[in-house]
Each structure stands twice: as C-alpha cells, then as structure tokens.
Amino acid sequence: MQSTRTPAPKSSKSSKRLADQSVPEQHESAKSEVAMSEAEKREVMIRIAAYSFYERRGFVGGHELEDWLQAEMEVDRQLAATPKPTARK
C-alpha cells in the first residue's frame, strides 16, 4: 500500500527567518525584561568572570573548577565593596 502523505510545502523566506530565530534567544530576551534576583545576578557575574579566565588561558580546558572558584572570590569581593542602597521611608 502506498503512502498518501503529501510533501511538505517549500519554505518561503519569511518562514525561514522565523525558523532561524532560536527559542533560547527569545527566552533570554524575555528573561532580561524580568528583574533578576541578587543570586541570579551573582551567578551571571561569576560565569562571565570564569569565562574570562578561560579565555586568558587561551581556551585551554581542564581548569574549570579553579576558574569558577577564583571567579566566585573576585565577584564576592566586588559585591562586598559595593555600597548597598538604603531603603527610603
């Protein structure tokens, strides 16, 4: 018995553009519109700092834990030195 499935229509340029938009990018842009918690901000800062250590080493792997721990120390030092906003009454 032969299949009665019809072939999918060829995609147009507009549907290709929609397909090129990835879901994670849309999710990230939505996330940036929502206020992040202090813990989330700290983690993002640590990720950026750890990646910069990796980058400075010439993208040589094997030091992920060292990079992360060093980044945590630096970010925590920065956050501790930042004055906290006082609450208004």
Side-chain angles (χ1 to χ4, degrees):
M1 186 186 270
Q2 290 186 353
S3 173
T4 59
R5 295 172 64 191
T6 58
K10 292 184 180 180
S11 59
S12 66
K13 288 182 182 179
S14 62
S15 63
K16 173 134 176 59
R17 274 181 279 169
L18 290 175
D20 288 345
Q21 295 175 353
S22 67
V23 174
E25 290 174 357
Q26 292 171 352
H27 175 68
E28 289 301 319
S29 65
K31 180 73 172 175
S32 65
E33 294 175 11
V34 177
M36 290 177 23
S37 71
E38 293 301 315
E40 289 172 322
K41 289 177 188 176
R42 177 181 175 267
E43 183 175 337
V44 168
M45 293 172 70
I46 292 169
R47 288 177 184 274
I48 292 169
Y51 184 82
S52 72
F53 296 137
Y54 172 64
E55 183 178 32
R56 280 186 240 158
R57 199 177 29 264
F59 301 104
V60 175
H63 302 277
E64 294 83 7
L65 181 59
E66 294 169 41
D67 292 345
W68 188 268
L69 295 175
Q70 180 68 31
E72 278 185 329
M73 287 191 307
E74 287 195 16
V75 167
D76 288 343
R77 195 174 314 132
Q78 289 173 359
L79 292 174
T82 304
K84 303 288 185 220
T86 57
R88 291 182 154 183
K89 289 185 178 182

